[in-house]
Amino acid sequence: MKILVNNTHYDHLTPPEIGLYSRHLLIPSIGMKGQLALKNAHVLVVGAGGLGCPVLLYLAAVGIGWIGIIDADHIDVSNVHRQVLYRVVDKGKKKADVAKSRLQELNPYIEIETYIDQLNIDNAEELISRYDIVVDGTDNFIAKYLINDTCYLTGKPLVYGAIMQFEGQVSVFNVQDENGIRGANYRDLYSEPPDAALAPNCAEAGVLGILPGIIGCFQANEVIKLVTGLGRPLSGRLLVYDALEATTTELSFSASRNNPLRDPNWSQILEEIPAVCSSTVMPDQFVMTLAEFNDLIHAYAVIHLIDVRELHEREQVSIGGVHIPLAEIESTDNGYFNDVPIILYCQSGVRSQRAANILASKLPYSQIFSLKGGISAFLASDLYPEIMANLAQCQCNGLSNFH
């Protein structure tokens, strides 16, 4: 299968490019024709994080002529163990900007366009329509369904990847066969998103540092196959990789007649994505930033500080307070709390936000907050010493020393 590229057409390689791609040119099935196909290809990578970094490194190295990067995030020190485009000294810089700089150093003969933004319902169709292939490097369900549905709308192949702890997945969606019939897509594999509590992201569940590199390389390989027409894409096939067992399992799936995208009114589903995926997003009315947390503990003599993580997480690192895991918040006796602010925290802010919503229904008149970014943000913040000093002066329910 050959992807038709956008309006840029190159019919030759420069001498420096011939030197750079010489090992590709030696492969008969690639040669000059395949390398020119790579040079003429336009690929959009959504997310420049764990998956996006290895994808971008190898797509740039093999000579994809035009690469788009969309990512609104800034670099955090917790990213560096798996997001190999970045360094500790890059903390606070925009991922897309740093990625572009490093990739241009790697290969100065390609074009890179950055979008410091989140892919959303307003920009997805216009942006994705500019590219030949889209690579999903995201870690949340709203983004994955939005990317999938927009690729279906615009007729673009989508290279999917997902990771958590020691396992990763790769597949290719929306590939057309010789008869112009579209293959299966994300909604054929996962018809609807699971509850957020059952599907934590890497910030909550963790991930083996090398795993994104492995899965990202699989994704980059699928892009190369799509562009050059070599091999058999992972269309209708889900590759599952187990890093601990060093095994791969392949699961087959096919297009389903129940897929809402195949309904005559399928285009309306794009506007329903936020509602469909609402179980993965919590309202933000309870979110408290680290700066606001610092001001609060400076102003109040007594607060309730609650860690809603699991015990094994708390034993590794904690900022104190009492330990009430998320699963036990619902059954906590209301009489336990008195009329002082309640601040909940977890690893990244996801579970504590759920806990805040639960407590708000139980204690409608209490001041309840979820610490934005959780422990991860706290450790990386320049406010860390000041917050710890203020915590030492504040009477927290069950406060223990940071360890």
Side-chain angles (χ1 to χ4, degrees), residues 245-264:
E245 296 294 328
T247 58
T248 57
T249 303
E250 186 177 301
L251 305 175
S252 297
F253 63 102
S254 58
S256 169
R257 282 180 290 183
N258 296 325
N259 187 323
L261 295 178
R262 297 186 180 90
D263 185 277

Side-chain angles (χ1 to χ4, degrees), residues 113-170:
E113 184 75 19
T114 58
Y115 309 92
I116 312 298
D117 200 354
Q118 291 183 336
L119 195 74
N120 57 52
I121 192 68
D122 297 318
N123 63 24
E125 183 177 354
E126 193 276 333
L127 181 57
I128 286 176
S129 65
R130 302 178 195 173
Y131 292 85
D132 306 318
I133 300 169
V134 178
V135 180
D136 177 8
T138 65
D139 66 352
N140 70 85
F141 285 103
I142 285 183
K144 289 187 180 298
Y145 281 91
L146 176 60
I147 296 166
N148 175 78
D149 295 359
T150 308
C151 283
Y152 188 91
L153 170 68
T154 55
K156 306 295 183 178
L158 169 60
V159 179
Y160 158 79
I163 51 174
M164 190 175 73
Q165 295 187 343
F166 303 104
E167 184 177 289
Q169 301 179 351
V170 187

Side-chain angles (χ1 to χ4, degrees), residues 179-193:
N179 301 315
I181 299 174
R182 294 177 183 175
N185 61 64
Y186 189 57
R187 288 185 181 272
D188 295 307
L189 186 60
Y190 301 114
S191 60
E192 59 184 28

